[in-house]
Amino acid sequence: MSKQVTRMNNDFYLDFLAKWQQIVSLLVFLTLGIGVLNYVFYKISFSTKKTFKEKFDLASEKESKKLLSGHIFVAIALFLFCNTLEYETMKLDGLWFFIRLFVSMCIGVLYGYIAQLIIKFYYPGVLEKKLKRLRYTPRINPENGNKMKLLSEAEEDAYLDEGMQAEENVFSVDYDVWIDEATGYTKIEKYKGHLSALECDRCGFQTLRLQKEEIIKEATDTQDGELLKEFKCSYCNRIKRKNVVLTHRIKEGGDGSQLIDDPLAHDSRISVVKIEIHGVNGEVKEFDFQNLDQAKNFLNEFDFQKLEA
């Protein structure tokens, strides 16, 4: 009876192993195809853009993301492919199946981790060179084919209106002005600046910046506080105010006691600590803290990879 049960279990395992081999073999080509097509479609989209500015915008926004997602699919395909190897050995004992599964997972995760590190730390430099080439390659006048000249910061002001100049003055936007010196034909391109500013809901320019912050209500160990932010538009002088909730944290001490952080205890001159993080793709994240300790803890725990996700 026991031999019959063993034989049945063995037949079931061999049948399962054969079906697994067929399904996984198909999934290898499917996932690898999705990963490759994902990046190929991006390259096709990039090549169909008619202007350098359109190519610049697409590359700065999506290239790193598409490259990373493509490598993730390749990592999955590698994991699946490793699960098709040594088929005859797998028939000998079910234990080998789980060993192969574990080793395959390690290989796939290792590939994905290395790809992620390369894209996070190495590829931004490659992308930056590409973006500079796209931005500063001489433009061509579509009317006559003449090569256009990029004006300097001093020269371009004559071609920018007051709102555009205000955006440049707060470094939220950077304008490039190209001119055909033979005909006077001009082309103005807009790029993100290196400092953050909001779009003003009155004039429509990206010139609304934080002017001052004031704690209306201090946070306690039982209640949240309140922070008033005041923004001012450098072009139309619009004033906009926004209330922000300040959260007070309570920590547990090693002996079970509660350690309450007074937000102003470290330095009476500090009311708010503000952190701005600028990603290589132009993304900006702003964070407010009640003291330096909270800000330091945040920086130690912050996942900078999210700026590229």
Side-chain angles (χ1 to χ4, degrees):
M1 183 69 179
S2 60
K3 291 183 179 180
Q4 185 178 2
V5 172
T6 302
R7 188 181 302 110
M8 290 177 59
N9 290 337
N10 188 57
D11 291 342
F12 174 79
Y13 170 69
L14 293 177
D15 183 57
F16 164 78
L17 188 63
K19 291 181 179 179
W20 171 273
Q21 191 80 3
Q22 294 175 356
I23 294 173
V24 171
S25 297
L26 291 175
L27 289 177
V28 169
F29 292 102
L30 179 62
T31 53
L32 186 60
I34 292 175
V36 172
L37 288 176
N38 177 66
Y39 191 69
V40 168
F41 285 149
Y42 163 75
K43 296 298 289 185
I44 293 174
S45 177
F46 179 84
S47 63
T48 55
K49 297 299 181 183
K50 297 181 179 180
T51 66
F52 288 110
K53 179 62 168 62
E54 291 176 338
K55 292 178 183 289
F56 179 97
D57 291 339
L58 181 63
S60 61
E61 180 181 354
K62 294 186 176 181
E63 183 154 315
S64 293
K65 297 177 183 178
K66 291 295 183 180
L67 193 59
L68 179 59
S69 61
H71 278 290
I72 290 176
F73 279 107
V74 173
I76 296 174
L78 182 61
F79 160 74
L80 294 171
F81 173 74
C82 290
N83 272 281
T84 65
L85 302 176
E86 297 296 333
Y87 177 65
E88 295 300 324
T89 303
M90 298 304 109
K91 292 181 178 181
L92 300 178
D93 194 330
L95 180 62
W96 285 108
F97 176 84
F98 293 101
I99 294 175
R100 184 181 67 176
L101 189 67
F102 175 76
V103 173
S104 301
M105 184 179 297
C106 292
I107 293 175
V109 170
L110 180 62
Y111 176 90
Y113 179 69
I114 293 175
Q116 183 263 340
L117 289 178
I118 292 175
I119 294 173
K120 180 178 180 180
F121 295 107
Y122 171 74
Y123 195 71
V126 176
L127 181 60
E128 184 67 20
K129 292 180 181 178
K130 179 177 181 178
L131 294 178
K132 285 183 178 180
R133 184 172 65 254
L134 291 172
R135 179 170 178 177
Y136 298 117
T137 297
R139 305 310 193 234
I140 301 298
N141 185 344
E143 297 179 352
N144 54 27
N146 288 343
K147 185 179 291 187
M148 303 175 71
K149 173 189 175 184
L150 177 62
L151 299 183
S152 65
E153 292 291 333
E155 295 172 326
E156 69 182 17
D157 287 344
Y159 297 88
L160 303 178
D161 59 33
E162 292 183 358
M164 292 177 175
Q165 293 183 41
E167 288 179 312
E168 285 207 324
N169 290 337
V170 297
F171 304 105
S172 64
V173 172
D174 192 16
Y175 287 98
D176 286 352
V177 180
W178 296 87
I179 185 170
D180 182 351
E181 295 179 296
T183 64
Y185 174 85
T186 58
K187 181 180 180 65
I188 300 177
E189 297 177 348
K190 182 179 180 179
Y191 296 89
K192 291 182 179 180
H194 61 274
L195 293 181
S196 63
L198 303 176
E199 180 177 325
C200 178
D201 52 3
R202 176 184 293 173
C203 67
F205 291 109
Q206 201 167 329
T207 49
L208 192 67
R209 299 204 62 191
L210 182 66
Q211 291 294 299
K212 65 178 182 179
E213 296 174 320
E214 178 182 357
I215 293 182
I216 305 300
K217 179 182 177 182
E218 294 186 8
T220 67
D221 55 337
T222 57
Q223 291 183 336
D224 292 336
E226 185 177 1
L227 173 70
L228 176 64
K229 290 186 174 185
E230 183 174 289
F231 299 83
K232 182 177 180 180
C233 177
S234 60
Y235 177 65
C236 67
N237 294 322
R238 166 164 171 61
I239 302 295
K240 187 174 182 178
R241 295 178 176 87
K242 177 182 179 182
N243 291 344
V244 178
V245 175
L246 291 176
T247 301
H248 185 74
R249 296 183 179 182
I250 299 179
K251 302 178 182 178
E252 289 290 334
D255 56 356
S257 62
Q258 289 185 334
L259 305 176
I260 301 176
D261 292 333
D262 184 349
L264 302 181
H266 300 288
D267 193 330
S268 60
R269 297 169 298 176
I270 298 177
S271 59
V272 174
V273 178
K274 182 179 180 64
I275 293 178
E276 289 186 2
I277 299 178
H278 298 257
V280 295
N281 59 356
E283 181 184 359
V284 177
K285 292 184 179 293
E286 297 182 2
F287 304 91
D288 297 313
F289 303 90
Q290 300 175 33
N291 57 54
L292 290 174
D293 287 341
Q294 288 185 6
K296 292 177 181 178
N297 291 334
F298 166 80
L299 289 175
N300 290 333
E301 299 174 359
F302 182 73
D303 185 5
F304 288 90
Q305 183 182 356
K306 292 181 179 179
L307 292 174
E308 303 174 1

